[in-house]
Amino acid sequence: MRRRQFVAGPLTHCMLGFEVQGGWRDVKTSVVMTALQYLMGGGGSFSAGGPGKGMHSRLYTRVLNQFPWMVNCTAISSLYNETGIFSIFASAESASADEMVNVLCKELQAVASKVSEEELERAKKATISSVLMNLESRAVVAEDIGRQVLTYGHRKPVQEYVIAIEKLQVSDITEAVSKLLKSPPSVAALGDIANIPRYAEVERRFK
């Protein structure tokens, strides 16, 4: 799937994503995708930093800290009952749009081949911290109860989810991403898209 829209401006925005088969109903995959989002992390190049900002995540250390023309680079996991999409959204100076897409491709391929134990442990702790912190909100708890009842027919204990996160291994991450990259890529581009590569070019990088 592809979507291109020209909007005059100094930046090019692009999202590269892949289907997450199974969605929330595949509990193991949903846990992996949630942890993967924290492992890859990212954000804006001018983040103030501080605890929980993900400054040690892969997209910060390998992308935002390496390429001065990259304005934003963020991992996003969007899951639904039966399916979902894991993607990276990025914004960069228009002259570097082609290289931006190249970087997104390389980062997804890199996490499919190698993840360090340190990176995984950091991501697991960040994921657990986020889950527990969010559940301090009554509104979030109410939404969580409704979503789980509609998805599973009951609400799973929070500790069950925490244990599933703690049990994650490096192989779980690399194998899940390798499976992701076998699905056709979805690409959306907005802004000055003159230097964005054609969809067929992006697709070939994953074959």
Side-chain angles (χ1 to χ4, degrees), residues 72-124:
N72 188 298
C73 192
T74 307
I76 302 171
S77 176
S78 299
L79 299 180
Y80 307 95
N81 278 356
E82 306 288 350
T83 187
I85 185 168
F86 187 89
S87 57
I88 301 180
F89 169 79
S91 299
E93 296 172 8
S94 297
S96 301
D98 180 67
E99 182 60 20
M100 171 180 67
V101 174
N102 186 47
V103 168
L104 299 188
C105 294
K106 285 183 176 179
E107 286 307 308
L108 284 167
Q109 291 168 327
V111 81
S113 61
K114 184 177 181 181
V115 173
S116 72
E117 291 288 350
E118 181 182 5
E119 286 178 304
L120 178 58
E121 286 305 312
R122 185 184 295 117
K124 285 159 64 172

Side-chain angles (χ1 to χ4, degrees), residues 135-157:
L135 291 177
E136 292 180 2
S137 165
R138 292 182 180 179
V140 172
V141 171
E143 180 184 348
D144 183 61
I145 292 172
R147 179 180 57 77
Q148 290 206 41
V149 169
L150 291 172
T151 302
Y152 308 120
H154 65 280
R155 190 190 185 203
K156 295 179 180 292

